[in-house]
Amino acid sequence: MLKDTEPPGGVIRPAIAADLPEIARLCAAHAAFERAEPTPVDLATRLEPVLFSAHPRAWCLVVDHGGELIGYATCSLEFSTWQATDYVHLDCLFITEPHRGEGWGHALLNAVKNAATARGAAHVQWQTPDWNSDAIRFYHRAGARARSKVRFSLPTRPAET
């Protein structure tokens, strides 16, 4: 199960607006790792109102390792009609390759779980690509239960060119 400890040499903390360029860099690395489309060049600008407005839609935790951001997690509070309860959707959790295996992933996931509990959420949900066996093993070791699901995406407007 998850522990409440962080590896030495860094800290997990809430992101601040000054972190946005580094968060955008981490998002781009994460998208490349997951074989996704590249992130928009103005991602930091797009994320600012979502994360740092008076009523933010989501929040971000970062792993600050001696002044360098080496990981992040973004989450939002959602509602389950079937359960009639709130849950936290973990949209992204990423640790840069040189720092994987140091315990930061478990510490970051634990911080997400604690934030979900503080917000009154019943549980945390997320998805990971089925080809990412390392992530699947990581989540199983953390005590997560896999649920079979197919992921769909339906654009609401024409794609940008």
Side-chain angles (χ1 to χ4, degrees), residues 36-99:
E37 295 293 319
T39 58
V41 294
D42 63 342
L43 182 60
T45 301
R46 291 181 183 200
L47 286 174
E48 187 170 18
V50 175
L51 298 175
F52 300 109
S53 68
H55 302 286
R57 173 74 181 96
W59 72 92
C60 180
L61 300 171
V62 295
V63 179
D64 186 333
H65 191 265
E68 176 191 5
L69 299 189
I70 61 165
Y72 77 109
T74 53
C75 307
S76 59
L77 191 63
E78 304 294 340
F79 179 77
S80 168
T81 302
W82 289 3
Q83 300 299 316
T85 189
D86 290 330
Y87 69 94
V88 164
H89 171 73
L90 171 60
D91 185 56
C92 295
L93 188 147
F94 181 74
I95 303 294
T96 57
E97 199 282 323
H99 297 281

Side-chain angles (χ1 to χ4, degrees), residues 1-3 5 103-111 138-139 141-142:
M1 288 305 262
L2 300 173
K3 303 177 290 182
T5 60
W104 288 111
H106 283 285
L108 190 54
L109 187 57
N110 192 58
F138 165 78
Y139 292 130
R141 284 193 313 266

